[in-house]
Amino acid sequence: MKLGFIGLGNMAKAMISGMLAKETAKPGEIIGCARTCATCGEVREKYGIEIREDNKAVAAESDILVLAVKPQVLEGVISEIKDSIREETLVVSIAAGKTLGWLEAAFGRSLKLVRCMPNTPAMAGAGCSGVCRNQRVSEEEMGQCMKLAESFGMAEEIPEKLIDAVGAVSGSSPAFVFMFIEALADGGVKAGMPRSQAYRFAAQAVYGSAKLMLETGKHPGELKDMVCSPGGTTIEGVQALEEFGLRCGVMKAVGSCVEKSKKM
């Protein structure tokens, strides 16, 4: 099997790293191409994959082809490679906002198409991906895609109508979480903690809280209540967050991401 990547940016590198670590693919099975020679050289040296001279060569050789480019340039890339892709090739797009219908129209023919919405924590093997497919993709082929996606984190198959929501809740949200960690650390610094220590404590608290919820299966409200002792310090902090509209702000942020994705 040849697994091809057009685009070798952070997300592609995260995916490749996870696949190699879990041995779902070997370096010699992965080929790729990027816009600059410097990026190609860096990825080849770090991961040992094979580099091709242009996107057409990657498209022609790939059994599974990952389009790991930004939505703004995807149409141009497809125009370049559409005549090089074989009928049996499985095409995976990670571009936000570009529907299966849009992809098929851009290629000008019916192909096996999958959309995958990963997120940047895939770089640490802790990604979260929503995956959907068109009718040409078989159960066996989808199983192969899911195995690849699960090599760099959690992955679930979803209906396409939910993919914009997934892109917001898991794809964009790491930025919100990093802002929250930074704010927690700033609060720690204000209280006298050294900044580097405050970052470590804040990040570990967020990591541990998420891990606790996933492993116990408890509702987040129940876990929040476990921390809030009557008349204690935590409930004072919760009240302050409610006064400043934390929940409403986060919900509006997710909604804004969803609307932007639909317009791309």
Side-chain angles (χ1 to χ4, degrees), residues 34-229:
R35 187 171 55 87
T36 68
C37 293
T39 298
C40 289
E42 174 197 340
V43 174
R44 175 170 52 196
E45 182 176 349
K46 184 171 183 178
Y47 300 108
I49 73 168
E50 298 179 9
I51 297 297
R52 296 294 182 262
E53 63 180 14
D54 58 39
N55 293 337
K56 290 181 180 180
V58 176
E61 290 185 48
S62 298
D63 299 304
I64 298 178
L65 176 65
V66 181
L67 303 178
V69 298
K70 300 292 186 184
Q72 297 89 334
V73 301
L74 182 58
E75 187 172 10
V77 169
I78 290 176
S79 178
E80 177 188 358
I81 67 171
K82 62 183 181 180
D83 294 328
S84 302
I85 296 175
R86 293 174 280 120
E87 286 293 322
E88 63 269 24
T89 299
L90 184 64
V91 180
V92 181
S93 169
I94 66 169
K98 302 304 184 186
T99 66
L100 293 170
W102 184 94
L103 290 167
E104 188 162 313
F107 279 108
R109 58 188 170 119
S110 179
L111 291 171
K112 299 174 181 179
L113 298 172
V114 170
R115 291 183 68 192
C116 178
M117 287 289 104
N119 63 0
T120 54
M123 298 171 73
C128 181
S129 304
V131 189
C132 64
R133 55 176 159 161
N134 70 359
Q135 294 182 339
R136 288 204 61 191
V137 179
S138 69
E139 289 292 333
E140 181 180 355
E141 290 166 333
M142 191 60 175
Q144 194 172 20
C145 276
M146 294 304 291
K147 183 178 179 181
L148 292 173
E150 287 167 354
S151 66
F152 47 86
M154 183 190 90
E156 291 188 12
E157 184 175 0
I158 59 170
E160 188 178 24
K161 66 181 181 179
L162 294 181
I163 204 157
D164 291 319
V166 167
V169 172
S170 65
S172 299
S173 66
F176 312 153
V177 175
F178 296 138
M179 290 174 69
F180 181 64
I181 290 172
E182 186 178 32
L184 282 177
D186 283 345
V189 170
K190 184 179 179 182
M193 294 180 72
R195 180 161 293 279
S196 60
Q197 185 181 58
Y199 281 141
R200 290 195 302 273
F201 272 71
Q204 181 63 34
V206 170
Y207 169 76
S209 300
K211 191 169 188 290
L212 180 63
M213 179 180 161
L214 289 172
E215 291 187 357
T216 64
K218 291 182 181 294
H219 189 281
E222 182 181 357
L223 293 170
K224 180 262 295 178
D225 289 348
M226 288 168 58
V227 190
C228 294
S229 303

